[in-house]
């Protein structure tokens, strides 16, 4: 059985990454992955400009016994000012170009208007309140490399750098299917032995939030023919993600059928929850994930395996933020698998605390109401005591109070 790290490395190694790109306007590039190195088209700032509302002047025009200069002209946003006339000062506003000949701006609160004169304080420094051209980045600088997943912040930067549209990898296409004779959609009455299905929905929604074009393949019965029929179209997708049917029970057919039509790289990993998880390929381009049926295992294995795979497919490197926290309570267990304990992360007196929640069974969704992160317990560890330092991964950057 592979360790978590071995399985993650095997997945990234086996990914057949995207090569088709499309060009989209900035407004449509949010959450997409850049397909080429992107350079700034202009300097930022584009010209020396004022950081404040005030007066532009040349320091050489001031001396200990001459701190007043006649006011001449104005520089406002959106147009080029005249040159500073030697021996004068110019009115200037935030973001407006610094006139040629000026080397400092004094904020209006520090200057005094006396008729046609402006009186300056003693302490004016060269370059004061001037934002120099190119201070942030220069035309031609590489801003991003291929594989960057673009956020609104990134797009603001690219817009300021003069880019109107961007090459991005096409969206990955994924087919999502649930398996199990017992599964029923909510809204229908339950017969004895049946349960409401939830994994397919969570998988579809997580894929959507990662920018994937996810297709709902519905629920299929635990019959080889039904599973075969469902997987007939597999080759049309970049990813096929199933839930259930990958452990060793008699009804666990997904793995079996996938072994017929494709190639399985592994199907068990030393993680908890989620030991039975299969990864493989169908044909030249389709990646296959058989996620476990237990709902929490399905959620956790999606994060542990599918997210890094999607990043690698888009030429990105997946890095998850891991922090140190103080355990608020103890957690005991049998060593053997890397475990992700559902936890509530919270701040107390500037310290990050992690409470291991009650109800860690992989079938127990109720605990998710309080879960905003996971505590990672190493494979050889038998748990932790209250007060110990633990490694945590926040699920959300907003921490519950
Ligand atoms: P399996 O991996 O098929 O052996 O299923 C393990 C457990 O997860 C069983 O209790 C199933 O009833 C349950 N399960 C399987 N698929 C789903 C699903 N899509 N939604 C909710 N529970 C499921
Ligand atoms: Mg099943």
């Amino acid at each position: 059985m592979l360790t978590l790290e071995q399985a993650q490395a095997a997945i990234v190694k086996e990914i057949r990454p995207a090569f088709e790109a499309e060009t989209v306007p900035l407004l449509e590039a949010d959450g997409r992955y850049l397909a080429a190195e992107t350079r700034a088209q202009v300097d930022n700032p584009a010209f020396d400009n004022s950081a404040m509302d005030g007066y532009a002047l040349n320091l050489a025009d001031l001396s200990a016994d001459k701190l007043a200069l006649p006011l001449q002209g104005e520089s406002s946003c959106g147009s080029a000012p005249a040159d500073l006339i030697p021996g004068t000062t110019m009115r200037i506003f935030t973001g407006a170009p610094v006139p040629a000949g000026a080397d400092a701006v004094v904020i209006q609160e520090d200057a005094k208007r006396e008729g046609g004169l402006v009186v300056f304080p003693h302490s004016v420094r060269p370059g004061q309140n001037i934002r120099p051209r190119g201070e942030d980045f220069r035309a031609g600088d590489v801003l991003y490399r291929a594989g960057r997943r673009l956020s609104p912040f990134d797009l603001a930067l690219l817009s300021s750098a003069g880019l109107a549209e961007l090459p991005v990898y096409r969206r990955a296409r994924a087919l999502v299917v649930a398996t199990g004779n017992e599964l029923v959609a909510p809204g229908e009455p339950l017969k004895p032995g049946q349960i409401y299905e939830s994994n397919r929905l969570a998988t579809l929604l997580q894929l959507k939030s990662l920018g994937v074009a996810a297709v709902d393949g519905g629920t299929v019965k635990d019959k080889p023919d039904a599973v075969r029929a469902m997987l007939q179209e597999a080759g049309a997708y970049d990813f096929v993600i199933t839930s259930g049917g990958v452990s060793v029970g008699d009804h666990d057919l997904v793995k079996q059928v996938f072994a017929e039509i494709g190639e399985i790289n592994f199907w068990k990993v030393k993680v908890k929850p989620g030991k039975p998880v299969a990864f493989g390929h169908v044909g030249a381009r389709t990646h296959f994930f058989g996620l476990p049926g237990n709902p929490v295992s399905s959620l956790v294995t999606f994060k542990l395996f599918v997210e890094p795979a999607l990043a690698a497919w888009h030429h990105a490197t997946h890095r998850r933020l891991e922090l140190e926290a103080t355990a608020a309570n103890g957690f005991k267990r049998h060593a053997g698998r890397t475990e992700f304990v559902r936890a509530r992360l919270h701040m107390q007196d500037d310290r990050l605390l992690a409470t291991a929640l009650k109800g860690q069974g992989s079938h127990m969704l109720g605990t998710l109401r309080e879960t905003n992160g996971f505590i990672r317990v190493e494979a050889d560890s038998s748990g932790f005591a209250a007060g110990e330092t633990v490694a945590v991964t926040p699920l959300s950057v907003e921490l519950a109070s």
Side-chain angles (χ1 to χ4, degrees), residues 354-398:
T355 302
L357 296 167
K358 295 249 171 304
Q360 292 287 334
S362 57
H363 60 296
M364 297 170 89
L365 291 148
T367 314
L368 296 177
R369 281 170 299 185
E370 282 197 89
T371 303
N372 64 353
F374 291 100
I375 301 172
R376 176 192 172 108
V377 184
E378 296 306 330
D380 59 5
S381 161
S382 54
F384 50 83
E388 270 183 42
T389 299
V390 288
V392 299
T393 296
L395 266 180
S396 144
V397 279
E398 278 155 41

Side-chain angles (χ1 to χ4, degrees), residues 97-392:
V98 174
D103 62 3
V105 169
V106 171
I107 63 171
Q108 58 197 28
E109 292 85 341
D110 290 348
K112 230 185 325 158
R113 289 279 283 267
E114 285 179 3
L117 294 177
V118 182
V119 184
F120 293 102
H122 285 278
S123 54
V124 185
R125 286 169 295 101
Q128 172 174 317
N129 296 315
I130 292 178
R131 308 191 284 209
R133 174 176 185 164
E135 175 188 40
D136 190 14
F137 54 79
R138 293 190 173 277
D141 282 356
V142 174
L143 296 176
Y144 295 101
R145 300 194 188 281
R148 172 74 175 216
R149 186 166 192 225
L150 298 165
S151 71
F153 285 11
D154 297 323
L155 293 161
L157 161 55
L158 288 160
S159 184
S160 75
L163 291 122
E165 48 183 31
L166 297 166
V168 295
Y169 290 112
R170 73 161 168 81
R171 288 187 193 280
R173 285 190 278 269
L175 177 68
V176 180
V177 179
T179 71
N181 291 337
E182 74 280 30
L183 304 177
V184 173
E188 290 175 29
L190 286 183
K191 295 194 189 110
Q194 294 184 326
I195 64 164
Y196 286 126
E197 198 279 320
S198 60
N199 294 347
R200 189 165 43 104
L201 176 76
T203 302
L204 284 166
L205 293 175
Q206 289 181 98
L207 288 168
K208 200 171 145 204
S209 78
L210 292 168
V212 174
V215 172
D216 184 355
T219 296
V220 298
K221 299 277 183 222
D222 293 316
K223 292 199 186 77
D225 284 348
V227 178
R228 261 185 221 109
M230 173 272 284
L231 295 176
Q232 227 166 28
E233 300 278 293
Y237 294 90
D238 304 301
F239 291 88
V240 173
I241 303 172
T242 63
S243 100
V246 280
S247 56
V248 287
D250 286 346
H251 298 286
D252 295 331
L253 304 157
V254 171
K255 203 179 76 225
Q256 206 177 301
V257 174
F258 254 105
E260 276 168 41
I261 64 164
E263 187 191 322
I264 292 190
N265 292 66
F266 61 77
W267 63 279
K268 266 189 176 179
V269 184
K270 279 193 242 170
V271 288
K272 189 177 178 190
K275 178 166 75 174
V277 53
F279 170 72
H281 290 91
V282 180
R285 87 163 228 233
T286 308
H287 308 84
F288 157 65
F289 281 98
L291 303 185
N294 273 309
V296 178
S297 307
S298 166
L299 295 173
V300 170
T301 51
F302 185 94
K303 291 218 145 297
L304 294 178
F305 304 114
V306 182
E307 284 187 5
L310 287 169
W313 188 83
H314 290 100
H315 302 247
T317 308
H318 185 265
R319 285 185 222 98
R320 198 180 296 289
L321 181 65
E322 199 167 73
L323 305 171
E324 283 187 348
T326 304
N329 55 357
F331 182 81
K332 289 289 152 234
R333 62 162 217 151
H334 295 295
R337 292 189 267 164
T338 305
E339 183 161 356
F340 292 86
V341 177
R342 272 159 280 159
R344 190 172 76 87
L345 309 181
H346 48 116
M347 298 302 298
Q348 198 180 72
D349 304 331
D350 288 340
R351 262 196 331 169
L352 181 60
L353 292 190
T355 302
L357 296 167
K358 295 249 171 304
Q360 292 287 334
S362 57
H363 60 296
M364 297 170 89
L365 291 148
T367 314
L368 296 177
R369 281 170 299 185
E370 282 197 89
T371 303
N372 64 353
F374 291 100
I375 301 172
R376 176 192 172 108
V377 184
E378 296 306 330
D380 59 5
S381 161
S382 54
F384 50 83
E388 270 183 42
T389 299
V390 288
V392 299

